[in-house]
Amino acid sequence: MKKILLIAALGLASVAGFAQQKFAHINFQELVTLMPEADQAREVMSASSKEAQDTYQSMVEEYQSKYTQYSQKASTWTQAIKESKEKELGEISQRIQEFEQSIQIELQQQQQELMAPIYEKANNTLQELAKKGGYVYVFDISTALYVDPSQSTDLTPAARKALNIPEGRTLEQLQKELEAQAQAEQAQ
Protein backbone atom coordinates (compact mmCIF):
# COMPACT_ATOMS: atom_id res chain seq x y z
CA MET A 1 0.00 0.00 0.00
CA LYS A 2 2.86 2.34 0.86
CA LYS A 3 4.38 1.63 -2.57
CA ILE A 4 1.14 2.56 -4.31
CA LEU A 5 0.85 5.80 -2.33
CA LEU A 6 4.52 6.58 -3.06
CA ILE A 7 4.02 5.97 -6.80
CA ALA A 8 0.85 8.09 -6.79
CA ALA A 9 2.63 10.89 -4.95
CA LEU A 10 5.53 10.79 -7.42
CA GLY A 11 3.08 10.81 -10.30
CA LEU A 12 1.27 13.85 -8.91
CA ALA A 13 4.56 15.63 -8.29
CA SER A 14 5.71 15.02 -11.84
CA VAL A 15 2.33 16.17 -13.22
CA ALA A 16 2.50 19.29 -11.07
CA GLY A 17 6.07 19.96 -12.24
CA PHE A 18 5.03 19.40 -15.83
CA ALA A 19 2.14 21.83 -15.44
CA GLN A 20 4.54 24.56 -14.26
CA GLN A 21 6.69 24.25 -17.37
CA LYS A 22 6.31 26.87 -20.06
CA PHE A 23 5.38 25.98 -23.63
CA ALA A 24 5.47 28.02 -26.80
CA HIS A 25 4.50 27.56 -30.41
CA ILE A 26 5.53 28.97 -33.74
CA ASN A 27 5.07 28.31 -37.46
CA PHE A 28 8.71 27.74 -38.34
CA GLN A 29 8.26 27.30 -42.10
CA GLU A 30 6.27 30.51 -42.34
CA LEU A 31 9.01 32.43 -40.54
CA VAL A 32 11.72 31.03 -42.79
CA THR A 33 9.66 31.79 -45.90
CA LEU A 34 9.09 35.41 -44.85
CA MET A 35 12.69 36.18 -43.85
CA PRO A 36 14.44 38.81 -46.01
CA GLU A 37 17.25 36.31 -46.60
CA ALA A 38 14.71 33.93 -48.15
CA ASP A 39 13.73 36.69 -50.59
CA GLN A 40 17.37 36.94 -51.67
CA ALA A 41 17.61 33.15 -52.04
CA ARG A 42 14.46 33.14 -54.17
CA GLU A 43 15.97 35.81 -56.43
CA VAL A 44 19.14 33.76 -56.91
CA MET A 45 17.10 30.61 -57.55
CA SER A 46 14.87 32.44 -60.01
CA ALA A 47 17.88 33.70 -61.97
CA SER A 48 19.44 30.23 -62.01
CA SER A 49 16.17 28.65 -63.08
CA LYS A 50 15.72 31.19 -65.86
CA GLU A 51 19.26 30.58 -67.10
CA ALA A 52 18.60 26.83 -67.07
CA GLN A 53 15.35 27.31 -68.99
CA ASP A 54 17.08 29.52 -71.56
CA THR A 55 19.85 26.97 -72.03
CA TYR A 56 17.34 24.14 -72.36
CA GLN A 57 15.27 26.14 -74.84
CA SER A 58 18.30 26.88 -77.01
CA MET A 59 19.22 23.19 -77.01
CA VAL A 60 15.68 22.24 -78.06
CA GLU A 61 15.69 24.89 -80.77
CA GLU A 62 18.99 23.54 -82.09
CA TYR A 63 17.52 20.04 -82.19
CA GLN A 64 14.34 21.22 -83.91
CA SER A 65 16.29 23.20 -86.48
CA LYS A 66 18.53 20.27 -87.35
CA TYR A 67 15.58 17.88 -87.38
CA THR A 68 13.67 20.16 -89.76
CA GLN A 69 16.71 20.34 -92.01
CA TYR A 70 17.04 16.54 -91.85
CA SER A 71 13.36 16.04 -92.69
CA GLN A 72 13.51 18.41 -95.66
CA LYS A 73 16.78 17.21 -97.18
CA ALA A 74 17.09 13.54 -96.15
CA SER A 75 15.75 12.30 -99.47
CA THR A 76 18.55 14.10 -101.37
CA TRP A 77 21.43 13.03 -99.11
CA THR A 78 23.67 10.05 -99.51
CA GLN A 79 23.48 7.29 -96.92
CA ALA A 80 26.69 8.47 -95.22
CA ILE A 81 25.34 12.03 -94.83
CA LYS A 82 22.01 10.71 -93.49
CA GLU A 83 23.78 8.54 -90.94
CA SER A 84 25.98 11.43 -89.90
CA LYS A 85 22.95 13.72 -89.45
CA GLU A 86 21.03 11.02 -87.55
CA LYS A 87 24.01 10.51 -85.27
CA GLU A 88 24.20 14.28 -84.70
CA LEU A 89 20.46 14.40 -83.85
CA GLY A 90 20.92 11.49 -81.44
CA GLU A 91 23.82 13.24 -79.72
CA ILE A 92 21.86 16.47 -79.34
CA SER A 93 18.90 14.54 -77.95
CA GLN A 94 21.20 12.77 -75.50
CA ARG A 95 22.72 16.10 -74.39
CA ILE A 96 19.23 17.49 -73.80
CA GLN A 97 18.29 14.51 -71.63
CA GLU A 98 21.52 14.69 -69.65
CA PHE A 99 21.07 18.42 -69.16
CA GLU A 100 17.51 17.95 -67.88
CA GLN A 101 18.65 15.40 -65.35
CA SER A 102 21.73 17.24 -64.13
CA ILE A 103 20.18 20.71 -63.95
CA GLN A 104 17.37 19.50 -61.68
CA ILE A 105 19.90 18.03 -59.27
CA GLU A 106 22.06 21.15 -59.40
CA LEU A 107 19.11 23.47 -58.78
CA GLN A 108 18.01 21.38 -55.80
CA GLN A 109 21.55 21.44 -54.40
CA GLN A 110 21.76 25.19 -54.91
CA GLN A 111 18.46 25.70 -53.12
CA GLN A 112 19.64 23.57 -50.19
CA GLU A 113 22.92 25.49 -50.00
CA LEU A 114 21.11 28.84 -50.08
CA MET A 115 18.48 27.84 -47.53
CA ALA A 116 20.75 26.05 -45.02
CA PRO A 117 22.10 29.25 -43.39
CA ILE A 118 18.59 30.72 -43.37
CA TYR A 119 17.19 27.72 -41.52
CA GLU A 120 20.16 27.82 -39.16
CA LYS A 121 19.64 31.51 -38.40
CA ALA A 122 15.92 30.99 -37.75
CA ASN A 123 16.61 27.96 -35.57
CA ASN A 124 19.30 29.76 -33.55
CA THR A 125 17.04 32.78 -33.08
CA LEU A 126 14.19 30.58 -31.94
CA GLN A 127 16.45 28.74 -29.48
CA GLU A 128 17.65 32.07 -28.05
CA LEU A 129 14.07 33.29 -27.63
CA ALA A 130 13.04 30.02 -25.98
CA LYS A 131 15.97 30.08 -23.55
CA LYS A 132 15.44 33.74 -22.75
CA GLY A 133 11.74 33.13 -22.11
CA GLY A 134 12.33 29.99 -20.05
CA TYR A 135 10.34 27.73 -22.37
CA VAL A 136 10.83 24.00 -22.04
CA TYR A 137 9.21 23.13 -25.38
CA VAL A 138 8.53 25.09 -28.54
CA PHE A 139 6.11 23.39 -30.90
CA ASP A 140 5.97 23.97 -34.63
CA ILE A 141 2.26 24.44 -35.23
CA SER A 142 2.62 23.49 -38.89
CA THR A 143 3.53 19.95 -37.85
CA ALA A 144 1.83 19.59 -34.46
CA LEU A 145 -1.48 17.79 -34.35
CA TYR A 146 -2.82 20.14 -31.70
CA VAL A 147 -1.59 23.14 -29.75
CA ASP A 148 -3.80 24.86 -27.20
CA PRO A 149 -3.01 28.57 -27.63
CA SER A 150 -4.34 29.34 -24.15
CA GLN A 151 -1.66 27.11 -22.60
CA SER A 152 1.15 27.96 -25.00
CA THR A 153 2.83 31.26 -25.81
CA ASP A 154 2.98 32.36 -29.45
CA LEU A 155 6.64 33.24 -30.10
CA THR A 156 5.85 34.40 -33.65
CA PRO A 157 5.82 38.16 -32.94
CA ALA A 158 9.15 38.05 -31.09
CA ALA A 159 10.71 35.79 -33.73
CA ARG A 160 9.45 38.01 -36.58
CA LYS A 161 11.05 41.03 -34.91
CA ALA A 162 14.33 39.20 -34.20
CA LEU A 163 14.50 37.93 -37.81
CA ASN A 164 13.76 41.39 -39.28
CA ILE A 165 10.55 40.27 -40.97
CA PRO A 166 8.58 43.41 -41.88
CA GLU A 167 5.57 43.98 -39.69
CA GLY A 168 2.36 42.92 -41.40
CA ARG A 169 4.07 40.78 -44.04
CA THR A 170 2.13 37.56 -44.60
CA LEU A 171 2.41 34.44 -46.71
CA GLU A 172 -0.59 35.65 -48.72
CA GLN A 173 1.14 38.96 -49.42
CA LEU A 174 4.33 37.12 -50.41
CA GLN A 175 2.34 34.85 -52.73
CA LYS A 176 0.84 37.88 -54.45
CA GLU A 177 4.30 39.44 -54.82
CA LEU A 178 5.67 36.25 -56.36
CA GLU A 179 2.71 35.92 -58.74
CA ALA A 180 3.09 39.54 -59.86
CA GLN A 181 6.81 38.99 -60.39
CA ALA A 182 6.14 35.84 -62.44
CA GLN A 183 3.60 37.67 -64.59
CA ALA A 184 6.05 40.52 -65.18
CA GLU A 185 8.73 38.04 -66.25
CA GLN A 186 6.31 36.31 -68.64
CA ALA A 187 5.35 39.65 -70.17
CA GLN A 188 8.98 40.32 -71.07
Side-chain angles (χ1 to χ4, degrees):
M1 185 64 140
K2 289 182 181 181
K3 286 184 181 181
I4 294 174
L5 288 176
L6 180 61
I7 292 172
L10 288 174
L12 286 174
S14 65
V15 168
F18 189 74
Q20 293 174 356
Q21 294 177 350
K22 293 171 65 176
F23 301 97
H25 60 275
I26 200 157
N27 187 332
F28 190 75
Q29 190 60 45
E30 180 178 325
L31 284 174
V32 169
T33 303
L34 294 175
M35 288 173 62
E37 293 89 341
D39 291 337
Q40 295 165 352
R42 277 188 290 277
E43 288 176 18
V44 170
M45 285 304 302
S46 178
S48 295
S49 181
K50 183 172 180 355
E51 185 66 34
Q53 288 173 342
D54 291 347
T55 301
Y56 175 79
Q57 187 61 38
S58 69
M59 293 171 81
V60 168
E61 288 170 3
E62 176 189 10
Y63 178 83
Q64 289 172 338
S65 170
K66 293 189 184 263
Y67 182 77
T68 301
Q69 180 189 27
Y70 174 83
S71 297
Q72 292 171 348
K73 296 181 179 182
S75 61
T76 63
W77 287 337
T78 65
Q79 188 62 31
I81 294 173
K82 278 171 117 172
E83 288 175 5
S84 174
K85 297 293 184 178
E86 288 170 359
K87 182 179 177 186
E88 183 180 10
L89 286 170
E91 289 170 354
I92 294 170
S93 178
Q94 181 68 30
R95 275 195 346 243
I96 291 170
Q97 290 175 356
E98 289 171 359
F99 178 78
E100 280 182 298
Q101 292 170 354
S102 67
I103 197 65
Q104 290 303 319
I105 293 168
E106 286 179 23
L107 288 174
Q108 287 173 350
Q109 288 173 340
Q110 182 183 31
Q111 183 175 16
Q112 290 172 352
E113 290 170 6
L114 290 169
M115 293 303 293
I118 297 169
Y119 276 103
E120 184 177 349
K121 179 180 179 181
N123 190 40
N124 290 343
T125 300
L126 183 58
Q127 287 182 20
E128 288 174 24
L129 290 171
K131 286 178 185 176
K132 187 187 281 185
Y135 297 101
V136 177
Y137 295 102
V138 178
F139 298 97
D140 185 351
I141 61 172
S142 66
T143 58
L145 294 175
Y146 175 74
V147 174
D148 183 353
S150 68
Q151 296 183 38
S152 175
T153 303
D154 185 1
L155 283 182
T156 304
R160 287 176 66 97
K161 184 175 181 181
L163 294 169
N164 299 318
I165 297 172
E167 203 171 310
R169 187 167 195 213
T170 64
L171 287 176
E172 293 80 17
Q173 181 186 28
L174 175 62
Q175 185 64 34
K176 287 178 184 176
E177 290 172 14
L178 294 174
E179 287 172 3
Q181 187 178 32
Q183 288 175 352
E185 288 175 5
Q186 286 179 351
Q188 291 177 358

